[in-house]
């Protein structure tokens, strides 16, 4: 059985192609296996978010193909992409982005409502996820009444609710204090280890980099380094090609 | 889809102030437009009632072709069965027969052209309330030999009650008509034109004067329900056949109709400005809402919410807000309009006197016609619904990556 979840073939994304072309992502080639816990690092403007957006089907590459779980998503229509994202990808954003008028439970349930899951399925999944993120007592609390760390944990639960192929997390710890960040990373690491969920983070945060089992460094839209193991005792240094 | 409606409801109240501002702009717009419209319609109805009750009646029955050539030769024989046919139609309240023509009226030294109307005194009073216009002398009896003069004509001829007036005219089929009559009373008409030239006498006296026994030129009809004017005209026409022409007051007095139309047109501009204000009120709040929620919308599309669902969500939110404003506006305007009909705006001082000189009561009542509430409510609802398409359009154009850029 093919274990590759994300298969990126020589993708490029160019802004202003007709005037002064800027390569946000330049001929990137990348494979991620199921169960990887990978950090995508690099300085600001290196193309991390653009690459993540393209892998997540939110943006289209100008060249190359992206195959997710055997499906070439670069050939999908915008409508098909929405469905694809709904069933295959979990997103965690830097600023949590929970729907403020819904409770924590309803936020997690929301994505399952979009999937058309039954109430029984939704309830079971919500209970399981809140247990995993350690927030069983906060089911009916609105986001505004939760701490930043708790909100981000709910966002992780929401990302997992649809049982996706992998989770894309864009700077998930950027707005969290050390304790909350460590707690969130513990949860994600546990989910990765126990449920074999694939995580791909874009991050500047050394705490995330330290916990990652694979670190891909982007510089000027190109992969500068890709390592399956890093020395977690040492801060990660950006390298140039 | 219940969850979508639930989410829409929660979203409506996520920014309470914004929702209240939107609802308030729709609410006040509905009240103002209903009030403006019902005041205008009520005032026009009052104007028509006044004008019609002067003399014309809501409908008139003539021999076919009379209105184009208003001569005695185009009169027709008065008939109890024809009258009965008219009265048996729905919505006819009363019928008055008239024989109308012209004559030269003379007093001692003065001669003046006048409109002579032979009337059935009681029937005429039922239709136009003629007795109330009497300011001197006494009212006509059934076969009275005296005449009633309009005040302006009496002044011009320098005649008073019990004086004698001499009339000369061309009678039926070219006969010469001449006679002298005692002035039995003086009438004051609201219409200056009528006040300067009307002379009324008993129908049989007029028939005798013009040598047209048993003939009339018109039946003047009053109605129970004035809104169904055209429908009533049609049923009367069907009942009487093509030998008769049935004319509405709008055809008989096209200048009044034109005046109402011109006034209604100018009111349309006023309402147009009002509608524009609603547009700005509602649109600005929608604009604010879209700016506030742009990031969230981008995120929702990113995680897998179809744009069509989001469009539906925003449409439900906007429509519910506008609908609530509309319903509240209509519910509030109903008692206001009813109160203003019972206690109409009443002019006082010189303005009131000016109105009263023309025979109008100086009041501006509102109309409680249900169609006003429904039409104005619907117009505002349609405006709101059209504006609700803006968020839909923005979602249609939304790109999640661009939307999620801070």
């Amino acid at each position: 059985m093919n274990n590759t979840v994300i298969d990126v073939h020589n993708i490029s994304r160019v802004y202003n192609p007709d005037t002064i072309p800027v390569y946000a992502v330049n001929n990137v080639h990348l494979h991620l296996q199921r169960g990887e816990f990978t950090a995508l690092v690099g300085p600001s403007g290196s193309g991390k978010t653009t690459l993540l957006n393209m892998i997540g089907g939110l943006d289209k590459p100008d060249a190359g193909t992206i195959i997710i779980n055997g499906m070439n998503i670069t050939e999908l229509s915008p409508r098909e992409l929405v469905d694809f994202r709904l069933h295959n990808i979990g997103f965690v954003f830097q600023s949590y982005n929970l729907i403020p008028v819904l409770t924590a439970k309803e936020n997690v349930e929301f994505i399952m409502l979009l999937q058309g899951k039954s109430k029984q399925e939704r309830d079971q999944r919500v209970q399981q996820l809140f247990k995993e993120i350690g927030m069983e007592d906060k089911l009916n609390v609105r986001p505004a009444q939760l701490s930043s760390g708790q909100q981000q944990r709910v966002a992780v639960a929401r990302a997992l609710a649809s049982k996706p192929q992998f989770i894309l997390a864009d700077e998930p710890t950027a707005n969290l204090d050390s304790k909350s960040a460590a707690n969130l990373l513990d949860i994600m690491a546990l989910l990765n280890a126990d449920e074999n969920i694939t995580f791909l983070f874009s991050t500047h945060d050394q705490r995330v980099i330290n916990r990652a089992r694979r670190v891909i460094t982007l510089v000027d839209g190109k992969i500068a380094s890709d390592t399956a193991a890093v020395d977690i005792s040492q801060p990660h240094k950006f390298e140039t090609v | 889809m219940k969850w979508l409606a639930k989410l829409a409801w929660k979203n409506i109240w996520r920014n309470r102030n914004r929702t209240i501002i939107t609802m308030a702009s729709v609410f006040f717009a509905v009240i103002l437009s209903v009030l403006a419209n019902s005041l205008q319609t009520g005032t026009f109805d009052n104007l028509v009632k006044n004008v019609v009750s002067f003399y014309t009646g809501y409908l008139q029955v003539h021999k076919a072709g009379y209105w184009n050539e208003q001569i005695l030769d185009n009169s027709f024989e008065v008939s109890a069965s024809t009258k009965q046919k008219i009265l048996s139609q729905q919505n006819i309240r009363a019928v008055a027969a008239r024989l109308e023509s012209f004559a030269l009226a003379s007093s001692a030294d003065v001669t003046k052209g006048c409109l002579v109307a032979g009337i059935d005194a009681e029937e005429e009073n039922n239709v136009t309330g003629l007795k109330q216009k009497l300011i001197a002398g006494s009212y006509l009896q059934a076969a009275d030999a005296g005449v009633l003069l309009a005040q302006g004509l009496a002044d011009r001829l320098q005649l008073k009650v019990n004086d004698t007036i001499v009339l000369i005219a061309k009678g039926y089929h070219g006969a010469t008509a001449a006679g002298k009559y005692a002035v039995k009373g003086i009438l004051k008409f609201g219409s200056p034109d009528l006040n300067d030239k009307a002379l009324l006498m008993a129908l049989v006296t007029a028939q005798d004067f013009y040598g047209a026994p048993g003939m009339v030129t018109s039946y003047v009809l009053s109605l129970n329900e004035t809104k169904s004017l055209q429908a009533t005209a049609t049923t009367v026409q069907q009942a009487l056949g093509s030998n008769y022409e049935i004319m509405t007051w709008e055809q008989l007095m096209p200048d009044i109709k034109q005046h109402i139309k011109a006034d209604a047109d100018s009111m349309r501009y006023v309402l147009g400005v009002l509608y524009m204000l609603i547009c700005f009120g509602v649109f600005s709040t929608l604009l604010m809402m879209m700016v506030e929620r742009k990031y969230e919308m981008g995120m929702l599309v990113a995680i897998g919410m179809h744009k069509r669902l989001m469009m539906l969500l925003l449409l439900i939110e906007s429509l519910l807000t506008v609908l609530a404003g509309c319903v509240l506006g209509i519910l509030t305007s109903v008692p206001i309009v009813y109160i203003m009909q019972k206690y109409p705006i009443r002019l006082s001082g010189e303005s009131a006197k000016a109105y009263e000189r023309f025979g109008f009561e100086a009041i501006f009542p509102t109309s409680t016609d249900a169609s006003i509430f429904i039409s104005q409510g619907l117009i505002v609802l349609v405006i709101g619904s059209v504006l609700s398409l803006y968020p839909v359009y923005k979602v249609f154009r939304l790109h999640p990556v661009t939307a999620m850029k801070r």
Side-chain angles (χ1 to χ4, degrees):
Chain A
M1 184 188 158
N2 188 352
N3 218 20
T4 304
V5 182
I6 301 171
D7 198 355
V8 175
H9 288 276
N10 306 100
I11 61 164
S12 296
R13 182 77 172 97
V14 191
Y15 295 116
N16 311 321
D18 301 325
T19 53
I20 308 159
V22 176
Y23 279 83
V25 172
N26 193 354
N27 202 28
V28 166
H29 197 78
L30 167 71
H31 303 283
L32 252 74
Q33 302 295 314
R34 190 172 308 280
E36 284 201 42
F37 200 72
T38 306
L40 192 59
V41 301
S44 293
S46 59
K48 301 186 297 292
T49 303
T50 306
L51 180 60
L52 221 59
N53 284 340
M54 288 192 289
I55 293 171
L58 297 174
D59 203 359
K60 285 217 168 189
D62 295 306
T65 53
I66 300 166
I67 294 163
I68 306 283
N69 221 28
M71 178 172 283
N72 183 353
I73 66 162
T74 47
E75 289 176 349
L76 297 179
S77 69
R79 184 174 286 198
E80 288 168 331
L81 272 173
V82 174
D83 272 333
F84 184 83
R85 290 197 297 269
L86 178 62
H87 293 100
N88 295 281
I89 308 172
F91 288 90
V92 179
F93 303 96
Q94 182 179 335
S95 43
Y96 338 126
N97 290 322
L98 300 176
I99 302 169
V101 294
L102 300 181
T103 61
K105 175 182 182 270
E106 288 167 338
N107 264 286
V108 175
E109 221 180 348
F110 184 77
I111 202 141
M112 291 185 278
L113 283 165
L114 293 176
Q115 287 179 314
K117 296 260 170 72
S118 70
K119 186 167 182 349
Q120 192 188 357
E121 273 180 287
R122 295 197 310 264
D123 285 345
Q124 274 178 1
R125 185 77 177 141
V126 165
Q127 294 296 338
Q128 181 204 341
L129 287 168
F130 273 78
K131 196 174 169 190
E132 283 172 359
I133 61 170
M135 286 178 62
E136 296 109 306
D137 57 336
K138 303 283 183 191
L139 280 169
N140 296 313
V141 175
R142 288 210 177 174
Q145 293 160 292
L146 296 172
S147 69
S148 306
Q150 287 171 326
Q151 285 188 53
Q152 195 61 303
R153 276 147 68 189
V154 175
V156 171
R158 179 180 65 187
L160 289 164
S162 62
K163 297 187 176 171
Q165 297 291 330
F166 60 93
I167 303 279
L168 291 179
D170 189 10
E171 310 266 6
T173 54
N175 293 341
L176 302 182
D177 58 63
S178 303
K179 196 179 164 195
S180 301
N183 191 269
L184 183 77
L185 286 168
D186 285 344
I187 289 167
M188 292 200 283
L190 199 69
L191 287 164
N192 172 255
D194 290 356
E195 298 186 19
N196 206 28
I197 294 166
T198 311
F199 281 86
L200 176 60
F201 308 94
S202 87
T203 186
H204 280 109
D205 190 341
Q206 193 60 47
R207 295 166 300 192
V208 181
I209 299 165
N210 290 345
R211 300 287 288 268
R213 291 209 301 274
R214 179 180 174 188
V215 177
I216 299 165
T217 310
L218 273 184
V219 176
D220 294 336
K222 289 183 176 177
I223 294 179
S225 69
D226 182 355
T227 172
V230 289
D231 180 357
I232 59 166
S233 64
Q234 294 297 316
H236 188 80
K237 290 193 174 97
F238 297 124
E239 296 165 22
T240 49
V241 181
Chain B
M1 284 296 124
K2 196 178 153 194
W3 64 270
L4 200 68
K6 199 174 154 188
L7 179 59
W9 180 252
K10 286 185 173 183
N11 277 335
I12 287 174
W13 298 110
R14 79 159 53 186
N15 188 331
R16 203 174 288 265
N17 287 343
R18 187 182 56 218
T19 303
I20 288 170
I21 289 170
T22 313
M23 276 188 189
S25 53
V26 173
F27 171 80
F28 286 114
V30 169
I31 291 182
L32 286 176
S33 62
V34 164
L35 271 184
N37 222 280
S38 76
L39 198 59
Q40 187 195 39
T41 309
T43 305
F44 286 159
D45 286 348
N46 196 44
L47 168 80
V48 169
K49 200 175 97 187
N50 276 294
V51 170
V52 164
S53 72
F54 279 162
Y55 191 70
T56 320
Y58 282 96
L59 290 175
Q60 282 193 11
V61 177
H62 309 134
K63 184 182 173 184
Y66 173 78
W67 194 247
N68 287 333
E69 201 181 358
Q70 295 175 41
I71 56 170
L72 280 175
D73 291 354
N74 279 333
S75 57
F76 58 96
E77 205 165 336
V78 69
S79 142
S81 68
T82 308
K83 243 178 174 175
Q84 198 46 50
K85 259 188 204 170
I86 296 169
L87 277 168
S88 65
Q89 300 308 309
Q90 257 190 343
N91 200 27
I92 303 295
R93 192 173 64 81
V95 179
R98 277 188 199 154
L99 179 71
E100 289 172 300
S101 191
F102 292 90
L104 273 178
S106 297
S107 60
D109 304 319
V110 188
T111 299
K112 192 181 181 302
C114 68
L115 166 73
V116 177
I119 57 165
D120 181 307
E122 277 317 302
E123 286 178 353
E124 189 68 31
N125 191 44
N126 285 341
V127 173
T128 60
L130 190 65
K131 219 181 254 185
Q132 293 166 16
K133 296 179 177 86
L134 192 75
I135 56 167
S138 56
Y139 193 62
L140 292 176
Q141 300 299 315
D144 215 310
V147 297
L148 300 176
L149 287 188
Q151 187 188 30
L153 181 65
D155 288 349
R156 186 73 185 269
L157 295 172
Q158 295 163 2
L159 291 172
K160 300 187 294 296
V161 175
N162 296 327
D163 286 349
T164 300
I165 186 169
V166 176
L167 299 176
I168 185 162
K170 182 184 166 193
Y172 190 50
H173 286 168
T176 302
K180 60 176 187 176
Y181 302 92
V183 176
K184 197 171 179 197
I186 307 290
L187 300 164
K188 186 184 174 188
F189 286 98
S191 155
D193 185 44
L194 211 55
N195 209 42
D196 281 346
K197 66 181 185 190
L199 182 151
L200 289 93
M201 58 173 71
L203 182 61
V204 287
T205 312
Q207 287 167 338
D208 184 51
F209 171 63
Y210 284 113
M215 305 300 280
V216 290
T217 51
S218 56
Y219 285 129
V220 181
L221 280 53
S222 69
L223 308 182
N224 293 318
E225 172 50 61
T226 57
K227 291 281 167 209
S228 47
L229 182 72
Q230 200 54 54
T232 310
T234 307
T235 56
V236 173
Q237 181 74 72
Q238 281 164 355
L240 296 184
S242 59
N243 287 337
Y244 295 90
E245 64 184 16
I246 319 297
M247 298 186 72
T248 63
W249 69 264
E250 293 170 347
Q251 293 164 309
L252 296 163
M253 294 185 291
D255 48 338
I256 298 284
K257 174 76 181 162
Q258 192 58 38
H259 164 74
I260 289 174
K261 190 181 173 303
D263 220 44
D265 286 346
S266 53
M267 179 56 91
R268 269 191 207 109
Y269 287 107
V270 174
L271 287 175
V273 172
L274 191 63
Y275 297 146
M276 287 288 283
L277 290 176
I278 310 167
C279 287
F280 288 125
V282 175
F283 190 70
S284 58
T285 54
L286 287 175
L287 211 62
M288 262 171 14
M289 184 264 284
M290 287 309 288
V291 171
E292 273 175 32
R293 288 168 61 186
K294 189 178 161 199
Y295 191 97
E296 182 185 309
M297 286 171 192
M299 180 275 293
L300 288 173
V301 174
I303 65 172
M305 186 175 193
H306 274 287
K307 283 184 179 180
R308 61 171 188 275
L309 264 184
M310 192 175 291
M311 289 174 188
L312 187 61
L313 176 72
L314 291 169
L315 208 58
I316 295 171
E317 288 176 24
S318 309
L319 288 180
L320 274 179
T321 311
V322 173
L323 192 67
C326 261
V327 171
L328 286 174
I330 289 173
L331 290 178
T332 312
S333 62
V334 168
I336 296 175
V337 167
Y338 269 86
I339 288 168
M340 285 182 71
Q341 193 197 40
K342 198 166 180 196
Y343 305 101
I345 298 169
R346 194 173 285 277
L347 290 185
S348 58
E350 282 307 307
S351 314
K353 280 180 190 156
Y355 271 86
E356 278 154 12
R357 267 200 296 277
F358 286 93
F360 291 95
E361 205 182 349
I363 57 166
F364 294 93
T366 51
S367 166
T368 52
D369 191 341
S371 68
I372 294 171
F373 300 97
I374 295 167
S375 65
Q376 291 308 311
L378 278 179
I379 288 170
V380 177
L381 189 63
V382 167
I383 291 172
S385 309
V386 170
L387 291 172
S388 303
L389 294 178
Y390 171 74
V392 171
Y393 168 76
K394 290 300 277 184
V395 169
F396 179 73
R397 306 272 302 168
L398 181 131
H399 190 276
V401 174
T402 318
M404 286 194 291
K405 272 188 184 144
R406 292 276 190 201

